[in-house]
Amino acid sequence: MENGGEDTLQTRQVLLLFVLLGVSQAHSEPGSFSVAEEMQSGSFVGNLAKDLGLEVGELSSRGAQVVSNDNKQSLQLDINTGDLLLSQILDREELCGSTEPCVLHFQVLMKNPLQFLRIELQVRDVNDHSPIFLEKEMLLEIPENSPVGAVFLLESANDLDVGMNTVQSYTISTNSHFHIKMRVNPDNRKYPELVLDKALDYEEQQELSLILTALDGGSPPRSGTALVRVVVVDINDNCPEFQQPFYEVKIPENSILGSLVITVTAWDLDSGINGEISYTFSHASEDIQKTFKINQKSGEISLTASLDFETIESYSVIIQATDGGGLFGKSTVRIQVMDVNDNVPEIAVSSITSPIPENSPETAVMVFSIRDRDSGENGRTICSIPEDLPFLLKSSFENYYTLETEKTLDRESRAQYNITITVTDFGTPRLKTEHSIIILVSDVNDNAPAFTQVSYTLLVRENNQPAMHIGSVSATDRDSGTNAQITYSLLPNQDPHLPLTSLVSINADNGQLFALRALDFEALQAFEFHVGATDQGSPLLSSQALVRVVVLDDNDNSPFVLYPMQNASAPCTELVPRAAEQGYLVTKVVAVDGDSGQNAWLSYQLLKATEPGLFGVWAHNGEVRTTRLLSERDAARHRLVVLVKDNGEPPLSASVTLHVLLVDGFSQPYLPLPEVAPERSQGDSLTVYLVIALASVSSLFLFSVLVFVAVRLCRRHRAAPLGVYSVPEGHFPGHLVDVSGTGTLSQSYQYEVCLRGSTGTNEFKFLKPIIPNPSPQCSGKETEETPPFNSSFGFNIQ
């Protein structure tokens, strides 16, 4: 962390240093020093304190240091003496090149207060480089008939030094034919020229070797030399001549590269080198130089690039024959290119219309032109399209054609056409070109939406969640684009009693149907409605389909017991004589189920019995019968719990409690009441007690009520001796009817019990069978009618 802080501080100091440095340089006069290059490191440059008018001790106390813009420490400052010393050897040519004068800029930084002083160091050149010729040997070919005073330019020497230390003069070795003349260019560079003083003679001397020397102005001067070879050229007085002044040749444009085009021939009357002839192209264009090549010795012209009759039909080439003496003769060669059928026809599309409406006959689809770059029969063309397309070609002026529809198109049958236009020329061999275009047929709203089915049947289970997806309808439209965008809707219902808008809704975009509320099979088992599909074209087209929704039953209704009634004020008690035989019909449990199908199939089961094995329940009709003969040891009072269960999934059930009293005969003077009565009275008293307790605000009243309740309870307990039972007051329903054999008991098993409830012993008053004939209200007779029973029937015995 400390190093990171120091680096940040140093960075900020350097930035501040350069900012203040620029300010200082703008307002201080520079101090000037001078030093020669190549001086050793540590050499004295000057006294900074003396030059700037400062005290020597001031440099030390203010921490003076020398800095430069390029961060190169070429100078070092002795702060004790104020002397500036070289810290490295300076090379002027490396630092400044050819720039004169060579000045280096430095700054002196002093603190307390912060001050910048600018100093300049001029590096003086010393003569440390010699002139150098880039070419150590120069060759000059000078004809022997060159006039005296002729000037020949020589290569100059280079010297890296500047000023007087650079090249100042040139000299040539002693000879009788040439001397050196200096020429100064605008850039002050000196160039040597060789001047002919005496005519040359090839027969006397064929070659001269001279030494060219370049001298600089240094002290002592440095020099560089180069060899100048002067070759005397013999005079040629005969020009070459061609056999023909004009040549003409024809060549096919598909000629193979490197093949011979023509051979030209020339001769020269001179002998020796002056009689040796070389062939070249004269004033040849770039196309000629790229396409043809001539052998300089033999004069053979060969093909080096492919010919193209359509680009250049002929070439005119000037051939120059030059002898060894420099004399030449000329001839012209005309090369005629012959056309071959090497260009396929070209198709240029001017306009194209796509897509086109499907109901538009004779519509211009495409306008194009045909061109074949060949000539003659090779350039004649014929144009065609496939015959199985509803299009035709019409020729207009010159080479222009129009592609048109021949009849009305049907997008639904074919939405696009891939048309290939074939153009063939009449050359040998025939060449052809093919141009393929894709024509799209735009849609017109001429197709109504069509449902995938004429009618839809949707099965929905009742008690569904509101807004549940119950199914979908789907329609397609053979059109495209907006013409095929289908919107679904519910059509007005013809049944005014069916609230369709509150039952279902439809998604206008995808045809999904939703139930808006829970359906109830018991209330509505099925309903129908129409849905419509409308496209977005112009004009709007639509269709409709019938949707039938069938509600499936769910096991959502528990069995309901009709008999015995469970909400009666007093429980129903069945009386069974002890003399009853096996299979005696005690009673019949009658129940119904609001569901349908197997959800309404009911089965009966004896769930609990006071004495197991004494009674049984028929599983299919709910008849309760005795399963064996009764004995004196059997309890007088029995409580049976019958379970009624449907066949749904999951199954639902209901239970009913039956009270059965075993009597010795219907003429018993006393018929005990069931234990339910005191329990019911006690429950009612406790309820009254609780209500009064909550409503009472006086403790005295509460105490009175408790005493009253206690007294009543004690009195009732004494009134009901152990082993004596009571029958609830009231009478059984008098007119019960059997419904298709699965209802309540038949008339032959219905009795009326009359009880007298005024006495404390609940004396049995009378019991008689209920028959259609009128009878006295209360009679002491006892009548019992027991139908025959087959013990082989199935029972559900607890």
Side-chain angles (χ1 to χ4, degrees), residues 562-565 572-574 586-590 731-740 743-752 770-772:
L562 298 177
Y563 181 84
M565 294 182 293
C572 180
T573 303
E574 304 293 342
V586 178
T587 186
K588 184 175 184 178
V589 178
V590 180
H731 60 84
F732 292 94
H735 303 284
L736 300 178
V737 182
D738 184 15
V739 182
S740 302
T744 61
L745 289 172
S746 61
Q747 292 182 359
S748 61
Y749 293 98
Q750 298 178 16
Y751 296 89
E752 184 179 76
I770 300 175
I771 57 177

Side-chain angles (χ1 to χ4, degrees), residues 552-569:
L552 301 178
D553 183 40
D554 200 0
N555 192 24
D556 58 344
N557 290 283
S558 300
F560 180 76
V561 178
L562 298 177
Y563 181 84
M565 294 182 293
Q566 298 299 298
N567 56 355
S569 59

Side-chain angles (χ1 to χ4, degrees), residues 253-266:
E253 61 176 327
N254 59 350
S255 297
I256 301 174
L257 298 182
S259 59
L260 178 64
V261 178
I262 192 174
T263 301
V264 294
T265 305

Side-chain angles (χ1 to χ4, degrees), residues 36 57 112 175 229 295 324 340 429 434 462 472 474 570 590 654 667 761 770 785:
N112 300 322
N175 65 92
R229 289 180 54 209
N295 190 311
V340 295
E434 294 181 347
E462 66 171 331
S472 300
S474 177
V590 180
S667 61
T761 58
I770 300 175
E785 181 179 351

Side-chain angles (χ1 to χ4, degrees), residues 584-589 615-617 622-626 640 658:
Y584 178 83
L585 178 63
V586 178
T587 186
K588 184 175 184 178
V589 178
F615 299 97
V617 178
E623 291 181 352
V624 180
R625 294 178 182 269
T626 59
L640 305 179
L658 301 176

Side-chain angles (χ1 to χ4, degrees), residues 107 113 125 259 272 391 395 420 430 459 497 587 644 712:
Q107 291 80 30
D125 183 42
S259 59
F391 297 88
S395 176
T420 300
R430 288 197 170 191
L459 304 179
H497 302 290
T587 186
V644 183
R712 288 290 302 273

Side-chain angles (χ1 to χ4, degrees), residues 239-242 264-268 276-282 294 296 318-323 326-331:
C239 296
E241 294 183 4
F242 284 92
V264 294
T265 305
W267 67 88
D268 195 317
E276 296 178 359
I277 299 175
S278 61
Y279 300 92
T280 58
F281 293 140
S282 177
I294 188 169
Q296 294 185 358
I318 299 176
I319 308 300
Q320 177 175 304
T322 306
D323 60 18
L327 299 181
F328 58 85
K330 294 183 178 182
S331 179

